[in-house]
Amino acid sequence: MGVQLTEDFSWPPFLKLLDSDPAAAFDGFYRFAVKSLTDMPPRLMRTMNRDDFEDLLHEIIYHCVKDNYRVLRQYVAKGHSFAAWLYTVAHNKCLDIQRKPMIDCEPIDRDKNGKSLANVLADKKSRGEDRAELVEILEATKRAMAQMDERCRLLLALAAEEYKPEEMVLVLRMPPGQNKKVSDDLRYCREKLKKLLTQAGIDIRALL
């Protein structure tokens, strides 16, 4: 059974103006991005002071509109809402900024103490454990994530950033009261990822 999320797949009006009125398109997107990412920013942005937050916000906006709106033109109202798509773009941009050697994949699960897989791997690295083994695990994780649909990748990213189900509902623009559905969907995505990693020969239980 696949994950079915109830979302608004309608195109924001400004996306229809990219060619006919680029200035209006920019104004509409700018207003949307500022409100959306201020109301529900990725975790890295939530920890920033006001000046750094605004700098990164404008960097994300510029990333989307540069080269004749190249990134904005990649949006297709098929996998999830525009707001969720924009969150993913911002999240990935934040990862580019904070990316560290060896820990360049999404945290995908948590142990009984709430520690994410990425942090577990970081601990193993700091203790001098086998680098080659960690590289293999991370590469397998990337391949597994690539096999999953965009909705699962987004849910796992939100969970990795410690969003609660009620916050995920807001990011995904779902109707109120869908917390249990989001939790069920996330559980499904985690189990799917574990299965893919197991098929790749990675024993998650040995890591957590």
Side-chain angles (χ1 to χ4, degrees), residues 140-152:
T141 301
K142 290 180 185 177
R143 291 192 296 270
M145 291 288 287
Q147 295 178 53
M148 305 181 73
D149 59 56
E150 292 185 0
R151 288 169 293 184
C152 270

Side-chain angles (χ1 to χ4, degrees), residues 33-58:
V34 169
K35 184 179 188 313
S36 180
L37 295 178
T38 298
D39 290 346
M40 194 64 63
R43 181 174 58 182
L44 176 63
M45 297 180 72
R46 282 183 275 165
T47 65
M48 290 180 168
N49 61 45
R50 182 178 181 84
D51 289 341
D52 290 342
F53 179 94
E54 291 183 354
D55 286 345
L56 180 53
L57 175 61
H58 288 113

Side-chain angles (χ1 to χ4, degrees), residues 12-208:
F14 53 79
L15 287 181
K16 301 176 183 179
L17 303 175
L18 297 180
D19 294 313
S20 61
D21 194 343
F26 175 83
D27 183 66
F29 171 65
Y30 181 89
R31 294 174 184 272
F32 184 98
V34 169
K35 184 179 188 313
S36 180
L37 295 178
T38 298
D39 290 346
M40 194 64 63
R43 181 174 58 182
L44 176 63
M45 297 180 72
R46 282 183 275 165
T47 65
M48 290 180 168
N49 61 45
R50 182 178 181 84
D51 289 341
D52 290 342
F53 179 94
E54 291 183 354
D55 286 345
L56 180 53
L57 175 61
H58 288 113
E59 184 175 342
I60 292 168
I61 291 173
Y62 174 71
H63 172 70
C64 291
V65 303
K66 68 180 182 180
D67 300 328
N68 193 27
Y69 300 99
R70 181 182 62 81
V71 172
L72 269 185
R73 294 177 189 277
Q74 295 174 8
Y75 171 70
V76 177
K78 183 177 180 180
H80 42 66
S81 70
F82 182 78
W85 176 87
L86 178 60
Y87 175 91
T88 302
V89 171
H91 170 76
N92 290 338
K93 192 65 176 175
C94 288
L95 285 182
D96 289 341
I97 292 173
Q98 69 175 358
R99 197 176 301 277
K100 299 177 181 179
M102 297 294 298
I103 307 301
D104 56 353
C105 67
E106 303 289 355
I108 59 172
D109 207 346
R110 298 181 182 278
D111 64 11
K112 62 183 180 180
N113 297 316
K115 180 176 290 188
S116 69
L117 174 58
N119 287 334
V120 171
L121 295 178
D123 289 345
K124 285 178 174 289
K125 180 190 174 189
S126 68
R127 293 197 299 267
E129 298 190 18
D130 190 356
R131 177 185 175 89
E133 179 184 357
L134 298 184
V135 171
E136 180 183 356
I137 292 170
L138 291 174
E139 290 301 321
T141 301
K142 290 180 185 177
R143 291 192 296 270
M145 291 288 287
Q147 295 178 53
M148 305 181 73
D149 59 56
E150 292 185 0
R151 288 169 293 184
C152 270
R153 290 199 295 268
L154 178 58
L155 283 172
L156 291 169
L158 290 170
E161 294 201 352
E162 301 179 353
Y163 273 71
K164 298 177 181 178
E166 57 267 28
E167 294 175 318
M168 295 183 188
V169 168
L170 294 176
V171 171
L172 296 169
R173 297 297 195 268
M174 296 174 68
Q178 296 291 304
N179 299 359
K180 184 179 185 302
K181 176 171 176 54
V182 167
S183 296
D184 291 342
D185 291 343
L186 178 60
R187 187 178 305 109
Y188 164 83
C189 293
R190 281 175 165 164
E191 290 302 318
K192 182 176 180 180
L193 185 53
K194 288 180 184 178
K195 181 178 180 180
L196 289 171
L197 288 173
T198 299
Q199 292 173 350
I202 303 299
D203 185 4
I204 295 297
R205 292 172 301 177
L207 296 173
L208 301 178

